[in-house]
Amino acid sequence: MDRSSWAERIPAVKSKADLAYESLRSAIARGDLRAGERINMDELARRFGVSKIPIREAVKRLESDGLLVSRVHAGVTVAGVDATEMRGVFLAREVIEALIAELAAERVDERRLAALEEVQGRMREALASGATAEMAELNSRFHRLLAEAAGYRILSDLTEQLLLTIRRYRIAAPLGERNWRSVVDEHDAVMAALHRRDPRGAAEAARAHIGSQAAHEVDEVNEVDEVDASHGTDGPDRVR
């Protein structure tokens, strides 16, 4: 006899604080709320049609996530993402993505392989048509699917957290077409290893992918910024 049969699963119901949290988090991820922008809790309460209590709860969670900061006299503002933080993000991603790719090569099924290929196809189409604005979400989807294929929720959660930081950074420093082309090519190398069911090859391809993007997005940009600072100029336009 199943002694737990009396207990039916309680449907998940999101609280007002959960909904406010998700709405604010999405706005930060999309760039609707940008680094340094002040959060007016009274205005948000009116906009969402709730009291200030769930807004405060949501803000506290976002502060814990590192997405908002609270300072005396400045109030609550959207946190920035600097190059030093991004170095740490890419160092973490290099290790985590290599592990994810290795595990995925061991466990991935044909359904997930097809889903990954579908995203890759859409990335190629977007690149060919010059729709680079779509690339960020497609890239996130690719890495989410890869993390899911690895089979551990903690790896999916870590991937989501790191992807959010990268997307916020790219709002201020967007990737150009040349760098997106590199991303697609590097994804292809990961996919080839997955199809071969080659864990070591997948890990090496993922590590190379993240290392390449770190060089494009952090190291090269910092080198140009240092040169600009030494000459007292804003520097030329550059592909990021």
Side-chain angles (χ1 to χ4, degrees):
M1 177 180 176
D2 181 3
R3 293 184 179 276
S4 64
S5 60
W6 59 270
E8 296 182 0
R9 183 181 295 274
I10 298 174
V13 178
K14 293 183 179 179
S15 68
K16 292 177 181 178
D18 290 334
L19 295 172
Y21 169 82
E22 291 176 3
S23 179
L24 287 169
R25 190 176 187 277
S26 295
I28 293 169
R30 291 192 306 267
D32 296 336
L33 291 172
R34 299 216 169 196
E37 190 167 344
R38 188 168 180 175
I39 301 299
N40 187 319
M41 287 190 273
D42 290 332
E43 181 183 338
L44 286 174
R46 287 193 297 271
R47 183 180 301 177
F48 292 145
V50 299
S51 71
K52 287 193 288 186
I53 294 173
I55 301 299
R56 288 197 194 99
E57 291 178 15
V59 165
K60 285 181 181 177
R61 287 177 63 186
L62 290 163
E63 286 185 70
S64 296
D65 292 344
L67 299 178
L68 296 179
V69 292
S70 179
R71 295 189 179 93
V72 179
H73 305 308
V76 179
T77 58
V78 179
V81 182
D82 61 21
T84 299
E85 182 177 355
M86 286 306 299
R87 281 198 191 94
V89 168
F90 278 108
L91 285 171
R93 279 198 79 199
E94 195 168 327
V95 175
I96 292 168
E97 291 282 350
L99 175 59
I100 285 171
E102 180 178 358
L103 292 169
E106 296 172 351
R107 304 177 179 199
V108 70
D109 55 26
E110 292 302 323
R111 180 178 63 84
R112 289 200 191 279
L113 277 174
L116 284 161
E117 289 289 8
E118 190 266 339
V119 173
Q120 273 291 87
R122 290 183 61 186
M123 289 187 77
R124 290 190 198 95
E125 290 172 4
L127 193 59
S129 64
T132 53
E134 299 175 17
M135 297 292 282
E137 178 54 39
L138 291 169
N139 179 65
S140 293
R141 194 174 305 171
F142 178 90
H143 286 283
R144 288 190 193 108
L145 286 169
L146 192 62
E148 289 170 10
Y152 291 99
R153 188 179 67 181
I154 183 62
L155 293 177
S156 292
D157 291 346
L158 289 169
T159 296
E160 192 64 38
Q161 182 180 352
L162 293 169
L163 286 172
L164 174 59
T165 304
I166 288 170
R167 288 192 66 175
R168 291 176 59 225
Y169 182 74
R170 286 175 177 169
I171 290 167
L175 289 185
E177 182 178 336
R178 184 180 67 189
N179 286 359
W180 277 124
R181 194 173 303 281
S182 295
V183 168
V184 173
D185 290 343
E186 290 154 13
H187 284 184
D188 282 340
V190 174
M191 289 301 302
L194 293 182
H195 280 291
R196 296 194 308 269
R197 302 300 197 277
D198 177 3
R200 182 174 178 179
E204 289 175 352
R207 191 176 292 109
H209 168 46
I210 303 305
S212 171
Q213 293 312 305
H216 288 317
E217 298 193 55
V218 179
D219 298 337
E220 288 180 4
V221 170
N222 285 346
E223 288 173 6
V224 173
D225 287 342
E226 287 170 5
V227 170
D228 294 343
S230 69
H231 290 287
T233 67
D234 293 332
D237 292 339
R238 52 186 179 268
V239 177
R240 300 193 188 225

